[in-house]
Amino acid sequence: MSKPRSLKSVILLRLAIPLIIFMTVETVLSYFVTLHYVDNAYDRWLLDSARSLTQEIKLQAGRVVVDLPPEALEIFKWDESDKTYFKIISAQQGVIAGDKFVPEPFAPDTDWSKPVFFDEMMYGEPVRVVSMLLPPEPGAEQVFVHVAETVNKRRAMMIDILLADLVPQLILVLVVGLFLLRGIKRGLQPLQLVANEIAQRSPRDLRPIPERHVYQEVQVLTNTINELLQRLAYGIASQQRFIANAAHQLRTPLAGLKLQAARALREQNVEAMQPALVQIQNSADRMAHLTSQLLVLARSEPIEGDYELVPVDLVELARSTCMEFVPKALQRNIELGFESDEPELIIKGDAVLLRELLANLLDNAITYGKEHGNILIKLERNPTPCLIVEDDGPGIPESERQRIFERFYRIPGTAGVGCGLGLAIVKEIADLHKARLQLRPFNEQVGTRIELKFD
Ligand SMILES: Nc1ncnc2c1ncn2[C@@H]1O[C@H](COP(=O)(O)OP(=O)(O)OP(=O)(O)O)[C@@H](O)[C@H]1O
Ligand SMILES: [Mg+2]
């Protein structure tokens, strides 16, 4: 089995991923915004240098001349980190002064009404260039001034601004991450406490988990576990009651067996042993019946997921089970009738258990019904499949109708080898099939009618 993922890492990851995406987007955005402002500021300086150059351009006898003293050139070029180049061009004379490699804007539709800024390469280095056309003087030729400057200052400024933006952000993320990690660890602690609490218990300790130190979210879990523990405790208690009852029920015929066997052994001839042997047979019958009822009950005990319900034809099942009970009914001169509206009634069920259910109902009807009476087994679709067993015997008093479904309960004074498990088995099998069980008198006062409605 692969190791399950840690909740802590999942929460952290879910928080960290959007945080990293947000930070990246924010950094890219702020890079472009910063670039814009830095460029604006330095472009203004570049324009100032270009304008200072234009001061040195003179008009002599209609010709443009540039008189650039070395000191002025020095001041113009002076910069700690960047190199500055310039070029002055007149329409007729070509390059009048400066470096002829200074780039110019090539677009033919360049708007010369205002200075033009652009990025280019010069001597293998990126440069920012400003180009301007001097205001034309009457009769004079057109003069262009181009000034290029390497971008070291701009870059340094960009890096400074970006670092100033990014470093506090990174520190913030680290600090928030640390607090988150601690917070998540602390937040998940109650789960560990609940796990410890359960791990330390003995398997017999089914008390609910105490509600101290429990958050709402953890409480959902503990409540569910507590409900399960409660059902488990109830199940175990009823299981124990059942075992105690079963042991008690088995002990009675066993004690009878021992007693009768001892009595038989005391007798000298077979004749005298006869009554004791009859008793032994009776006790053995009771035990065999009890054992088979206990086994059916154990089989019908609802264990989730253990049963595969398959299509079963109720008509066929009821008819064949009735046939098995004909001899027993005849012994008491009871007429056993079978009626079905439909040729077949298919339900989803367990055929073996459904046969046990019907066998118990028929056994009761024959055993407790009146001699020379009538029993009717009916199958209807009204509108869902319904199995009915009716007898015209003495019926079951109203006050007993709940209790007879309890395990080992028999109506006081009832004779026979029964052990009081039949109807408990019927109920368990009905529950397993999610069928509704109804018991009422067959004919207002007398008789018994048991209905089993399947969905
Ligand atoms: N058709 C019936 N008519 C009258 N009484 C009934 C009928 N069916 C059940 N009873 C009463 O309900 C009691 C419980 O029936 P149940 O089938 O659970 O136990 P049992 O028949 O005594 O024993 P088992 O079925 O385990 O052999 C019976 O003892 C009987 O008194
Ligand atoms: Mg019975």
Side-chain angles (χ1 to χ4, degrees):
M1 207 178 76
S2 64
K3 205 174 163 218
R5 288 194 301 165
S6 130
L7 192 57
K8 205 161 63 183
S9 61
V10 171
I11 296 176
L12 258 184
L13 211 67
R14 296 239 165 132
L15 289 171
I17 289 174
L19 204 65
I20 289 170
I21 294 177
F22 173 78
M23 259 189 67
T24 316
V25 172
E26 203 272 342
T27 310
V28 171
L29 278 181
S30 73
Y31 173 81
F32 284 107
V33 173
T34 316
L35 190 68
H36 173 76
Y37 285 111
V38 168
D39 264 350
N40 266 0
Y42 282 103
D43 280 356
R44 226 169 291 140
W45 285 8
L46 194 62
L47 185 63
D48 282 350
S49 345
R51 288 213 171 110
S52 72
L53 258 187
T54 61
Q55 310 290 317
E56 313 303 331
I57 299 173
K58 308 270 161 31
L59 200 66
Q60 283 179 1
R63 271 179 70 90
V64 175
V65 283
V66 180
D67 181 19
L68 214 54
E71 309 83 62
L73 205 60
E74 197 65 21
I75 291 171
F76 173 77
K77 292 209 164 185
W78 185 86
D79 195 315
E80 267 181 352
S81 48
D82 278 306
K83 284 176 232 148
T84 312
Y85 310 96
F86 74 95
K87 176 162 86 176
I88 300 170
I89 301 178
S90 91
Q92 277 128 43
Q93 305 171 66
V95 178
I96 308 172
D99 192 328
K100 65 175 180 177
F101 292 109
V102 172
E104 300 167 30
F106 292 109
D109 56 348
T110 307
D111 173 14
W112 289 107
S113 64
K114 56 182 189 292
V116 183
F117 293 93
F118 59 96
D119 295 304
E120 254 302 341
M121 294 294 288
M122 188 176 165
Y123 299 130
E125 264 187 296
V127 285
R128 181 81 173 161
V129 188
V130 61
S131 296
M132 54 195 282
L133 172 66
L134 292 197
E137 286 191 27
E141 50 193 326
Q142 277 188 319
V143 179
F144 296 91
V145 175
H146 307 280
V147 179
E149 184 186 51
T150 53
V151 293
N152 297 338
K153 272 198 304 287
R154 294 170 192 249
R155 282 207 177 144
M157 174 72 104
M158 281 297 299
I159 290 171
D160 280 355
I161 294 178
L162 276 180
L163 279 182
D165 181 44
L166 210 60
V167 171
Q169 276 200 55
L170 278 175
I171 293 173
L172 190 77
V173 166
L174 277 178
V175 172
V176 169
L178 273 177
F179 274 97
L180 269 179
L181 205 70
R182 266 185 55 172
I184 294 170
K185 212 169 155 184
R186 281 193 143 191
L188 292 178
Q189 228 167 24
L191 277 183
Q192 192 57 50
L193 289 176
V194 171
N196 292 346
E197 168 94 43
I198 298 175
Q200 279 164 9
R201 288 188 172 207
S202 84
R204 287 167 183 279
D205 185 356
L206 298 176
R207 282 172 305 139
I209 302 165
E211 292 198 355
R212 67 187 133 90
H213 57 238
V214 166
Y215 294 120
Q216 236 177 44
E217 289 78 0
V218 181
Q219 211 165 9
V220 176
L221 186 73
T222 52
N223 282 350
T224 318
I225 297 176
N226 282 346
E227 274 168 31
L228 179 70
L229 286 175
Q230 206 178 357
R231 273 184 282 156
L232 209 61
Y234 179 78
I236 290 175
S238 77
Q239 212 45 279
Q240 278 169 344
R241 257 198 322 274
F242 173 65
I243 292 169
N245 267 332
H248 178 74
Q249 296 284 330
L250 277 169
R251 213 177 288 137
T252 317
L254 261 179
L257 263 181
K258 273 176 74 178
L259 209 71
Q260 301 307 330
R263 208 176 102 190
L265 283 174
R266 276 202 302 273
E267 301 299 340
Q268 300 303 320
N269 57 43
V270 179
E271 207 59 9
M273 282 181 194
Q274 200 71 13
L277 289 176
V278 170
Q279 292 291 336
I280 287 174
Q281 195 184 29
N282 285 345
S283 293
D285 277 350
R286 276 174 73 107
M287 274 190 62
H289 177 69
L290 176 63
T291 315
S292 92
Q293 290 287 71
L294 283 174
L295 284 175
V296 176
L297 200 60
R299 261 211 73 181
S300 58
E301 194 90 300
I303 303 168
E304 244 138 280
D306 209 24
Y307 288 97
E308 200 191 335
L309 300 183
V310 291
V312 179
D313 178 12
L314 267 187
V315 177
E316 169 53 30
L317 186 132
R319 189 181 287 127
S320 60
T321 315
C322 275
M323 297 296 280
E324 287 167 24
F325 277 83
V326 170
K328 189 167 179 176
L330 281 178
Q331 276 176 12
R332 299 200 66 214
N333 296 307
I334 293 174
E335 200 171 307
L336 202 57
F338 177 77
E339 247 179 55
S340 172
D341 292 353
E342 313 270 336
E344 62 169 26
L345 265 181
I346 307 288
I347 60 154
K348 284 205 134 195
D350 180 315
V352 177
L353 290 179
L354 285 172
R355 194 176 291 274
E356 290 292 345
L357 177 149
L358 186 57
N360 269 293
L361 291 179
L362 283 176
D363 186 67
N364 283 354
I366 295 171
T367 314
Y368 310 119
K370 70 173 183 216
E371 264 203 272
H372 299 282
N374 288 290
I375 296 174
L376 184 60
I377 293 98
K378 273 203 282 194
L379 284 167
E380 292 175 357
R381 188 190 287 279
N382 68 350
T384 54
C386 181
L387 168 72
I388 302 159
V389 178
E390 295 172 347
D391 70 67
D392 54 0
I396 299 164
E398 175 111 46
S399 55
E400 299 284 354
R401 281 185 204 152
Q402 285 295 322
R403 293 210 65 188
I404 50 165
F405 289 102
E406 287 173 17
R407 290 173 177 187
F408 298 111
Y409 185 76
R410 307 191 77 204
I411 296 175
T414 308
V417 293
C419 49
L421 285 177
L423 288 177
I425 290 172
V426 168
K427 184 159 184 342
E428 209 111 302
I429 298 175
D431 286 349
L432 193 90
H433 287 80
K434 298 195 172 59
R436 274 161 295 140
L437 194 62
Q438 268 183 1
L439 177 119
R440 54 170 98 131
F442 158 54
N443 188 5
E444 295 306 322
Q445 290 98 30
V446 288
T448 308
R449 175 187 165 104
I450 293 186
E451 274 184 24
L452 197 67
K453 286 185 178 156
F454 297 89
D455 280 329

